[in-house]
């Protein structure tokens, strides 16, 4: 910032995010209606080909909203309510809890017992062969859901209860209106999109140490168009209050800080390398013993 103070001008809400999220919700509602009478094979096909992409993209919209990118820091609660709305087509309550844990991830990156992005000791011990690492990728939604309860359980908040009740109500309405196939499409899209899917390469690309000494990596490939530029991950951790839309400008302005860092251009290759490289496993993360006072959401 001392060298490039113009970056401060990028620290503002991205109001376009609001309309993009609304359109994504409407797109999924349309898909719920269209699949209700299809054969099961086509329900599964479209859940993976289309629904999974929208669902995973929506989780990254929720990531943006967790940083108050939709309405700004001055309207934090507007962002929380909007996150609950964005959560609806995923089928499972996610937004409020994600925000609480994700702020810890930024404050205490790699903090042992705090950052639930770090795999558990069991994951590192068990998923150590190529086949088991492949299964671990398939089951990533399960581990991301259960890991916080094992590593850093937190008291349930009022907003989390509201998130849960709103989600259950929405799921019941979808089932009542359009039946089991639409409900299955919704849930399967979320599970498949966060598991063995090209976009899921970002889970591993962001912080797994393929090169010792380099803890965070950016990805500059085309899937950033579907993921709100989450691939610009060094830039995001440097400036978490800058919306994803503006992160390419951060890289352009401060190119001398980012161009020479290790980077990726393919999340599919990241997944392949993770499975096939015997030196990489869920253990390949930086873990820190935190000192001093720890303040969590």
């Amino acid at each position: 910032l001392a060298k490039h103070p113009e970056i401060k001008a990028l620290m503002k809400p991205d109001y376009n995010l609001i309309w993009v999220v609304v359109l994504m919700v409407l797109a999924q509602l349309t898909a719920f209606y269209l699949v209700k009478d299809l054969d099961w094979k086509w329900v599964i096909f479209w859940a993976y080909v289309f629904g999974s992409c929208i669902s995973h993209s929506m989780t990254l919209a929720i990531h943006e909203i967790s940083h108050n990118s939709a309405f700004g820091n001055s309207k934090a609660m507007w962002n929380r309510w909007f996150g609950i709305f964005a959560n609806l087509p995923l089928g499972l309550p996610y937004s409020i809890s994600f925000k609480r844990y994700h702020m810890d991830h930024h404050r205490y990156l790699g903090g042992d017992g705090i950052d639930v992005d770090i795999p558990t000791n069991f994951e590192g011990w068990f998923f150590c062969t190529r086949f088991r690492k492949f299964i671990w990728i398939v089951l990533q939604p399960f581990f991301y859901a259960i890991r916080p309860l094992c590593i850093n359980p937190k008291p349930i908040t009022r907003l989390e209860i509201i998130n849960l009740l709103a989600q259950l109500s929405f799921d019941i309405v979808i089932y009542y209106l359009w039946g089991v196939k639409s409900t299955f499409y919704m849930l399967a899209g979320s599970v498949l999109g966060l598991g063995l899917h090209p976009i899921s390469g970002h889970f591993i690309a962001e912080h797994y140490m393929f090169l010792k000494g380099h803890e965070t990596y950016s990805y500059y490939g085309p899937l950033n168009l579907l993921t709100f530029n989450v691939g610009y991950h060094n830039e995001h951790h440097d400036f978490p209050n800058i919306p994803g839309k503006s992160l390419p400008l951060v890289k352009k302005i401060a190119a001398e800080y980012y161009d020479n860092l290790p980077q990726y251009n393919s999340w599919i290759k990241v997944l392949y390398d993770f499975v096939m490289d015997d030196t990489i496993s869920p253990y390949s993360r930086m873990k820190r013993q935190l000192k001093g006072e720890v303040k969590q959401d």
Side-chain angles (χ1 to χ4, degrees):
L1 284 176
K3 189 173 181 180
H4 299 287
E6 63 270 31
I7 287 178
K8 291 182 180 179
L10 304 177
M11 299 176 182
K12 58 185 179 181
D14 174 16
Y15 295 116
N16 287 332
L17 176 63
I18 300 169
W19 308 114
V20 172
V21 167
V22 170
L23 289 173
M24 290 169 69
V25 171
L26 292 176
Q28 279 293 69
L29 286 173
T30 302
F32 296 162
Y33 173 77
L34 292 175
V35 303
K36 66 184 180 68
D37 296 320
L38 293 181
D39 290 340
W40 275 105
K41 63 181 179 181
W42 290 112
V43 175
I44 296 170
F45 173 83
W46 287 114
Y48 187 79
V49 171
F50 182 77
S52 63
C53 295
I54 297 292
S55 291
H56 200 138
S57 182
M58 188 63 87
T59 67
L60 295 168
I62 290 171
H63 166 254
E64 287 285 292
I65 296 165
S66 76
H67 286 281
N68 294 334
S69 292
F71 296 98
N73 293 322
S74 63
K75 296 180 178 178
M77 280 305 299
W78 288 36
N79 289 280
R80 302 292 77 75
W81 294 118
F82 191 57
I84 292 173
F85 168 76
N87 196 150
L88 294 177
L90 296 178
L92 300 167
Y94 165 82
S95 177
I96 299 300
S97 296
F98 171 80
K99 192 267 180 187
R100 299 178 73 198
Y101 284 104
H102 188 64
M103 294 305 102
D104 293 340
H105 170 69
H106 275 273
R107 292 190 190 108
Y108 309 110
L109 180 62
D112 189 17
I114 302 296
D115 184 0
V116 299
D117 197 54
I118 299 287
T120 61
N121 288 330
F122 170 78
E123 290 171 75
W125 168 77
F126 185 78
F127 296 99
C128 55
T129 68
R130 293 180 180 181
F131 176 73
R132 291 180 184 179
K133 286 191 288 182
F134 175 81
I135 297 301
W136 183 77
I137 290 173
V138 173
L139 297 178
Q140 274 196 100
F142 169 78
F143 288 113
Y144 269 92
I146 204 72
R147 194 184 293 148
L149 303 178
C150 300
I151 294 179
N152 186 17
K154 296 184 178 187
I156 297 174
T157 65
R158 181 179 67 91
L159 277 178
E160 284 175 307
I161 294 173
I162 293 172
N163 194 178
L164 172 63
L165 294 177
Q167 192 62 61
L168 287 176
S169 299
F170 179 82
D171 295 351
I172 290 169
V173 168
I174 294 300
Y175 178 79
Y176 177 79
L177 290 177
W178 297 321
V180 68
K181 290 181 179 178
S182 296
T183 308
F184 175 86
Y185 168 90
M186 173 172 57
L187 297 172
S190 297
V191 173
L192 294 171
L194 296 170
L196 187 63
H197 194 280
I199 298 178
S200 292
H202 81 86
F203 289 131
I204 294 170
E206 290 167 358
H207 297 296
Y208 282 77
M209 295 179 66
F210 283 80
L211 295 174
K212 289 185 177 180
H214 292 277
E215 181 179 358
T216 303
Y217 301 78
S218 287
Y219 157 84
Y220 299 123
L223 289 177
N224 277 309
L225 295 172
L226 298 177
T227 58
F228 301 90
N229 287 326
V230 75
Y232 288 76
H233 217 65
N234 277 300
E235 296 85 345
H236 173 60
H237 272 269
D238 285 347
F239 301 103
N241 56 342
I242 294 180
K245 181 187 75 172
S246 299
L247 292 178
L249 286 175
V250 172
K251 181 179 184 296
K252 182 178 180 180
I253 292 169
E256 68 273 25
Y257 291 99
Y258 298 110
D259 284 353
N260 295 322
L261 294 177
Q263 56 193 249
Y264 299 113
N265 290 300
S266 171
W267 279 334
I268 295 175
K269 188 175 187 302
V270 168
L271 292 172
Y272 177 83
D273 289 345
F274 178 80
V275 171
M276 301 305 293
D277 189 336
D278 294 333
T279 66
I280 302 295
S281 76
Y283 270 140
S284 302
R285 292 288 300 265
M286 176 68 74
K287 183 183 286 189
R288 297 179 174 84
Q289 297 299 321
L290 298 175
K291 299 178 181 179
E293 185 179 4
V294 174
K295 296 181 180 180
Q296 302 183 62
D297 276 16

